[in-house]
Amino acid sequence: MTKTVSDSIITDRRGALAAAAGIGAGLMAPPVLAKPTAKAPAIHTGGDCSTPHSAIVPTRYGKVRGYVSDGVFTFKGVPYGDTTAGANRWLRPQPPKAWEGEYPALAYGANCPQTLHSFRAIEHTFIQQWTDGFLGEDMLKLNIWTGSLSGAKPVMVYLHGGGFSFGSSYELASHDGAQMARHHDVVQVSVNHRLNVLGFLDLAEFGGEAYADSVNVSMLDLIFALEWVRDNIRAFGGDPDRVTIYGQSGGGSKVTTLMGMPAAKGLFHRAIVQSGGGGNIPSAEQSRDFSRQVLRELGVAQGDMAALQKMEWQRLFEAGNTVATRINGPMRPGVLQPGGSASPTPRVGWAPTMDMRNITCRSFHDVAPPAARDIPVIIGNVSEEGTSLGRNPNEAEWRAQLAEALGGAKADALIAAMKKAHPEKAIRTLSYGVGGLSGRNNVNRMVKLRHDAGGAPAYQYLFQWQTPILDGIPGAWHTAELAFCFDNTKICDQATGNTPDAQAIARKMAGAWAAFAHTGKPDQAGLAWGPSDPVHCQTMVFDTRCRMENDPEGDVRRILLT
């Protein structure tokens, strides 16, 4: 069955302030409902733009028409799956219905319905340059940037952050893929998919065998998108045999989860994990019990899938948040949460589940997954993972916070060591850096798992360039590196200042990411980068002077391990 292009155009446009960066693999967002706005994402922000016939590309489902901007072919909102609304809720992703004519791939698609963080500080919105999108359940769309439609360039597929509850492929200005296509000879792809209650509610008992995969359909969407890349990317100048998946925060957790999924094997060939990954996901029984309680909270009759499929998403999500808080306790914003070490206790809620059907291991938590043994991986984080510009503690307040979490003696030792290591940083910035140290411990834990298991190498990095914006207080905050690994310091000048130093670091970092996509090694001219092992913790430090260093901040980070 085919549909016309006019049937494909989305008309329901609701805006949402994009999610806070600061909960590395955060399983739950606070219950603040997104409010409708009249805004929709801009179609284009660059110059020298045209929509020539050369930007019409065939896919398995029909032709898509993009545009060319400053030499880059751009396709936004390309369907890789059918709508997930109504009768398709909680089912495995389905192929998009074929269409006649040319699909206008000129604007980003819908974001998964989601609740969003409220910010205490407008400064965070400023440095991130968050953008409004629109919400809808027809959200299985991807975006492509390529310098040409010929050849066989490596493909880089970016998975967005926001835990597994919120976020989108275009929420941050840094996500724009044009520069990677323009200057680094790759095909850049980004993906939207199901999240939260729409992606992780176990309905197998409630709805029957058809819903046996409902607890992990969010991750199955990503596999479906990678299958679309495998089957269609040649027409966009991409090489399906050189696919890199990468993601930041929750996106990093999506990467490590995919690395452990048998069905994803062969769909990607390198992986990059940024400020996340290795989460302690719940068991099938834990998620099943969670879902039973959610359904009781909703008061729906056993087997009444029609009622669930018609129910407003907000009501579903609120019920899930209520149950998750009852089981887990409230999410407390704390100094060790963002990018922190993997939790010893799973938090049930909106996250993947080890169902032994689609996900068979706690990838990079318990084990470096055998399915990804031959996949080289880059793993790293930023130095101020805990930046939250709504927090401005003095030293006494900071000590009290640390003492509550760590005990007084360890708090004193940590503060003294951090002040000695970085006397140039304000107390406020140092307080944000504790999350970075915790994140470093998580990075080294994952590197050790990979090293001990053998196979392809792991490369480690630390991004610690300090922004000059807002008097330097944010430091290298959670998501700061995205403007650099996407080579987007210019369009992210509210975060980077687009200074000469920032531009130089971006060329090196984006160049390393692209080199890795091309060859499986991040080496490039003038920047030698070797693998990491758990003894020496060899690390590429991205700063004003990019360099290899053995275990930077090692003495300080190990205080958290004692």
Side-chain angles (χ1 to χ4, degrees), residues 302-383:
Q302 178 67 30
D304 191 356
M305 284 301 305
L308 282 183
Q309 288 166 339
K310 294 175 183 176
M311 193 174 291
E312 282 294 318
W313 168 85
Q314 290 93 333
R315 184 180 168 196
L316 295 167
F317 196 75
E318 285 177 325
N321 278 0
T322 297
V323 173
T325 300
R326 186 162 65 225
I327 294 174
N328 301 317
M331 283 287 285
R332 295 178 58 207
V335 292
L336 299 181
Q337 280 184 346
S341 297
S343 169
T345 304
R347 288 184 67 90
V348 298
W350 314 137
T353 290
M354 195 166 70
D355 60 357
M356 304 309 294
R357 179 183 173 99
N358 296 295
I359 298 176
T360 56
C361 69
R362 291 184 174 91
S363 178
F364 282 94
H365 180 80
D366 297 332
V367 64
R373 188 177 189 276
D374 298 324
I375 304 292
V377 60
I378 294 174
I379 310 176
N381 75 309
V382 302
S383 56

Side-chain angles (χ1 to χ4, degrees), residues 27 200-202 205 215 280-294 296 323-324 327-328 343-355 362 366:
L27 303 187
F200 296 107
L201 187 65
D202 188 347
E205 287 184 340
V215 73
N280 188 5
I281 63 175
S283 68
E285 182 53 39
Q286 287 171 314
S287 290
R288 196 171 299 124
D289 179 67
F290 169 78
S291 297
R292 291 170 186 147
Q293 293 189 48
V294 172
R296 284 198 295 270
V323 173
I327 294 174
N328 301 317
S343 169
T345 304
R347 288 184 67 90
V348 298
W350 314 137
T353 290
M354 195 166 70
D355 60 357
R362 291 184 174 91
D366 297 332

Side-chain angles (χ1 to χ4, degrees), residues 32 40 83 135 173 215 227 390 438 447 476 559:
V32 180
T83 179
L135 307 181
V215 73
E227 290 173 340
S438 183
V447 167
I559 294 173

